[in-house]
Amino acid sequence: MQYLDLNGYSCKLSFEKNTFPLESKHVLVICRYNGKWVLTRHNERGLEFPGGKVEAGESLQGAAKREVYEETGARLKELEWFAEYVVYSAKPFCKTVFAGAVDKVDPILLLETEGIVLMEELELDGDFSFLMRDAGMRTIIEKVKQLGKWDD
């Protein structure tokens, strides 16, 4: 699938592994806890799924688990590769999307975000980060909903 993100950059989304020649160095994690979507409130961008950059020597899965914990305090009990997409900005990058389920949430002091936000429904309005409102993210969310695998 090809689309434009809300910054006007061309993007390509795939639900098949190794579609793009660009190495993924970013992760995004769509997860559920007790039937609710796990989000975080970024200080500048608003509500979004947890995610971030892979650190040196870290696997994509390791980065996904770390980012979810750092941004929400949530501990993942399931984590599966789900999709990847490329943003063709001035410096193109590939992001791997994981989906999973949360086992428990620890109360932690957060520095990067305002912490965990649990939502029953996703109404992608003005409170949501621009990262959450493009055609690619809407497609990813719909596909996760269709599978229903992580609903608990």
Side-chain angles (χ1 to χ4, degrees), residues 1 3-4 6 13 15 28 30 37 49 82 85 97 122-126 128-146:
M1 170 187 177
Y3 62 97
L4 289 179
L6 295 181
L13 168 67
F15 293 97
L28 177 73
I30 300 172
W37 299 97
F49 290 121
F82 193 74
Y85 63 93
V97 180
L122 294 176
E123 300 294 332
L124 301 178
D125 59 19
F128 282 84
S129 163
F130 73 92
L131 300 169
M132 296 288 292
R133 293 184 276 132
D134 65 33
M137 185 57 66
R138 290 177 190 275
T139 301
I140 290 168
I141 291 167
E142 282 308 310
K143 196 157 180 111
V144 168
K145 284 180 180 178
Q146 287 171 4

